[in-house]
Each structure stands twice: as structure tokens, then as C-alpha cells.
Amino acid sequence: MRLKDLAPRELEGRLRSGLQIGTGPFTFRIASRLPDIARGLARLYAEFPLVEGPYADFHVRIDAMHGLRRLFSPQAQFWMDGHTPFMPLPRDQAFAMLEWGMNWCIAGHAHHYLMLHAAVLERNGRALIMPGDPGAGKSTLTAALMLDGWRLLSDEITLIDRDDGLLHGLARPVSLKNASIDIIQAHAPDAVLGDVARDTHKGTVGHLRPTAPSVERIGIPARPAWIVFPRWKSQAETRLSPHSKSAAFLHLASHAFNYSLLGPLGFRLVADLMDACECWDFEYSQLPDAIRLFRELSE
């Protein structure tokens, strides 16, 4: 059964006690009484499977704060296992807060994987890993490639299996920020976005629904083939240029969520990744040119 099979009233009812959604290797039990959360899940997680049974990896809840403040400045709070890891945020940022909280759960606890802060997509059996600093255009490029037929594994967390080095997917919504929202809407008018949260600590944030094939193939791991460091630059020509593997190693290790925690195993996994992948810098200014280049790369 998938989330889209629930009628709106049934979804709201099940959310009150806890709705279990499978996102790749993890099951989230999500509880909320906020209509914003029900609406966001219905819009962005429609294709995700519902998981029955008593077990979930993460039990989270997001609800309105009580007290007098709700009368003039409503807020929402995120809980995991009854604890509140974050300060409350404005109520209209509730869905974005849920997404950030789910990322926090994985990044802080899933140490049976090496976790890199990078997007990852797959096409023709080979995976593209894209680390990116803020403002580099990583999420915009990730969204555009997904809409061109690449399978989304994640736009934030690359999960590397500790046993075989394969990449596992989450296929959760792509987080777009600021100008990226308008760029993707102009590029793909039929793309489905959730409610836009404004004035967050990351600026304006909107989430893009993953494609149905990305969710349908969520359980299929991918073999890493390319590590690409994207950089959007006004008027730049679209081009790939070699990136040294030693520099790529240092970048990935320093941007991993748990490289130091894994010790020698973390070193070996990143070294194996370097052996398996070509490493490139990528500069672009026009999405259609970028899409064309990556299409050719994957063939």
C-alpha cells in the first residue's frame, strides 16, 4: 500500500497516532496533528510505501507548540523519541522542519553506512555523486537531472554500504532554495513542489517531489562511477575538467557525517570510492547544456 492510496481524512487520522513510511533502508513513524504535514506528505510522498508492523527505525513527531505564544506567533516543534533536538520554528516552516529532522535522524544514527554530504543519482546502472558547497547549484542540478530521467537516490546524504561499497537510496524530496525554486519551475512547469517556507535559516525553501521511478526502485543499490563537483557560474561555458583524486578524497572525508567515527573503515571506504570513480569539476550556467552533457556521460 502506498501513501497515495489513503483518502485525505484517513491520512490525517493515521497521522495522529503515527504513520509509517519506508524511505529506502529506513522506516519513519511520523505523528502529527498539523494539516500542513498531512498536505506535504500527500503531495510529496504519494508514491512511498506504507509500512505495517510495530517496528520503525525512527519515531518522530511534529506538532504545534502550546502556550500563550501560539496566539501571536504560532510555532511548531520536532520530537524524536520524545526529545526535542531543535528549537521550535514558525508554524509555517513545519514541513521543512520535518525534512530537516528526518535528515538529522539519519545523519546522527545510521553509522552502519558511511554517510557523505552529497547528492547521488543513477543512470544505466552507474551512480553520480555530487558534493557541493552552499550556492554551488548542486540541488538545482540534482533536480534537473532527476526530471531528465536519472534515478534519484538522495539530494543530501549519500549512503555507502560498509560491506560492498554500493550506494543505497532514500529518494526523498529534493530541497530547493531561493532562486532554484523559480529555475526548476520554469524548467519543468509540471514538476510538483510542496508549500514554500519563507524566511527560514536557509532562506526560502521548497521541496520537489521525487519521480515515481526513483521511488519504485528505491531498494536497488547503485555502483559508484563518477564524483563531480558542480559550480554554477554566470555566463560560464558548460565543461568538465579533471579533479585530482587526492583533493576529492580530502573534500569527501571532511564533508562526511561519520568519517572520523568509522576510523580506519572510513578511510578504506573513501579510498575504495576513489578507485571506483572518475573525479571531475563541473562548471555551468545553462541547465539544458548541463543536462545534455550528463546524458552523454551516462551513455
Side-chain angles (χ1 to χ4, degrees), residues 110-152:
H111 300 304
H112 46 300
Y113 297 98
L114 173 65
M115 294 179 285
L116 308 178
H117 185 200
V120 56
L121 304 109
E122 175 268 341
R123 192 165 195 163
N124 295 332
R126 294 182 293 173
L128 162 67
I129 299 171
M130 290 198 296
D133 296 324
K138 168 178 69 70
S139 293
T140 310
L141 186 56
T142 298
L145 292 177
M146 178 188 74
L147 294 168
D148 188 56
W150 287 73
R151 175 167 69 103
L152 173 73

Side-chain angles (χ1 to χ4, degrees), residues 88-260:
L89 291 177
R91 165 80 179 270
D92 58 6
Q93 298 179 17
F95 190 84
M97 191 182 197
L98 173 64
E99 286 292 321
W100 297 329
M102 292 170 73
N103 288 340
W104 178 86
C105 289
I106 295 170
H109 299 87
H111 300 304
H112 46 300
Y113 297 98
L114 173 65
M115 294 179 285
L116 308 178
H117 185 200
V120 56
L121 304 109
E122 175 268 341
R123 192 165 195 163
N124 295 332
R126 294 182 293 173
L128 162 67
I129 299 171
M130 290 198 296
D133 296 324
K138 168 178 69 70
S139 293
T140 310
L141 186 56
T142 298
L145 292 177
M146 178 188 74
L147 294 168
D148 188 56
W150 287 73
R151 175 167 69 103
L152 173 73
L153 278 77
S154 176
D155 81 318
E156 290 282 353
I157 304 175
T158 296
L159 299 173
I160 302 177
D161 193 297
R162 292 168 49 152
D163 295 325
D164 55 21
L166 296 179
L167 308 179
H168 291 258
L170 300 167
R172 288 179 36 224
V174 178
S175 176
L176 298 173
K177 305 172 195 68
N178 303 315
S180 295
I181 298 170
D182 291 338
I183 291 171
I184 290 300
Q185 286 181 315
H187 172 72
D190 294 334
V192 178
L193 278 86
D195 293 344
V196 172
R198 304 184 189 280
D199 300 322
T200 78
H201 67 288
K202 297 184 177 185
T204 301
V205 174
H207 288 86
L208 172 68
R209 185 165 76 185
T211 55
S214 296
V215 181
E216 289 167 3
R217 300 176 61 205
I218 197 170
I220 302 174
R223 188 168 300 283
W226 307 281
I227 299 170
V228 175
F229 296 85
R231 172 67 60 185
W232 181 88
K233 185 178 179 182
S234 178
Q235 306 299 319
E237 289 186 17
T238 303
R239 64 172 184 173
L240 283 171
S241 56
H243 187 107
S244 85
K245 291 200 172 186
S246 58
F249 186 110
L250 291 174
H251 185 106
L252 292 180
S254 62
H255 287 71
F257 293 105
N258 58 348
Y259 173 82
S260 299

